[in-house]
Amino acid sequence: MDSQRLDLDLHRLELRFASSRLVEPRAVARIAHSIERCGQVVPCIVVAVSGRADGEPLVLIDGYRRVAALRRLGRDTASVEQWTCDLTDALLGLLARTQNRPFASIEEALLIRELVQDQGLSQHDLARRCGRDVSWVSRRLQLLSGLPDAALTAIRNGRLSSWSASRIVVPLARANAEHADQLLTALADAPLSTRELRCWFEHYQKAFHSARDHMVNRPRLFIDALRETGEQRVGERLRDGPEGECAADLRSIEAILARLRKRVAALRPLPPMLIGAVPRLRTAVDALINEIQRDGAHDPDRDP
């Protein structure tokens, strides 16, 4: 693609596609440190919108992190590479480039939506012109399907991961849009990590409706309470020792057997799979009883 290299005042850059880039302060800090040591090695990509006179802003296609780093350093100019093509070809060229930093899937999806909705490209034409297949274009667009605007804003600002958005927020929004909005509002004030949010969603799916209302409004409180309960159980296991764990397991076995007796009583005639399980169950129970009785017959106060 024909281009020319020049230094451009930052105020002449039109940040039209800033909403399609993720805000990552750590990456900006690393770039700023690199620029301060070595100067701006990689130029930003810009294009001129046809019909504009010289001196008018140029649309920034790639380099939003570099511009943020330059502003952080108090610089007034940026090294840019001006492509001599229209806006559509510039965006397609950006998607086709692989030598620069990889774009997040959500960033690619936003660029593709720009090309399809605002630039009027079909998915087939877009795939052909950026060297991809149609299924790749379709999968990227599906990332935005059902994604609330609040979730997209949270992703851009680094408060929500793309994984959490697609695996948690989108399914939740489809099932209960009000709960999805309440969750995103709560996460804006008290964000959760991806691991914490996945744990929260696993419990949400098993919770009663009355409990879900509290969970979406106070996800941080729920996770903190869950962690505290887990720590308390660890403390109890440490206090009771292995003999306490064994006693708890025996109580669990007794409870399971009592529950099974009630269920079996309602099954008439008994299915073959249950009858076939009896020998295995008898063997396992007899082995446990024999082990306990054998050790119990010995001196309980002997040296361990």
Side-chain angles (χ1 to χ4, degrees), residues 33 81 87 150 153-154 161 190-191 253:
H33 180 66
E81 184 179 320
L87 195 59
T153 301
S161 68
I253 292 173

Side-chain angles (χ1 to χ4, degrees), residues 221-241:
L221 180 63
F222 175 83
I223 289 296
D224 290 344
L226 195 65
R227 182 183 295 111
E228 184 177 348
T229 301
E231 292 173 352
Q232 183 178 354
R233 289 175 179 171
V234 170
E236 290 174 353
R237 287 198 298 269
L238 183 63
R239 179 194 64 203
D240 297 338

Side-chain angles (χ1 to χ4, degrees), residues 17 64 71 88 109 227 233 263 265-266 273 298:
F17 303 110
Y64 284 81
R71 285 178 171 167
T88 300
R227 182 183 295 111
R233 289 175 179 171
R263 291 180 176 177
M273 62 181 299
H298 297 162

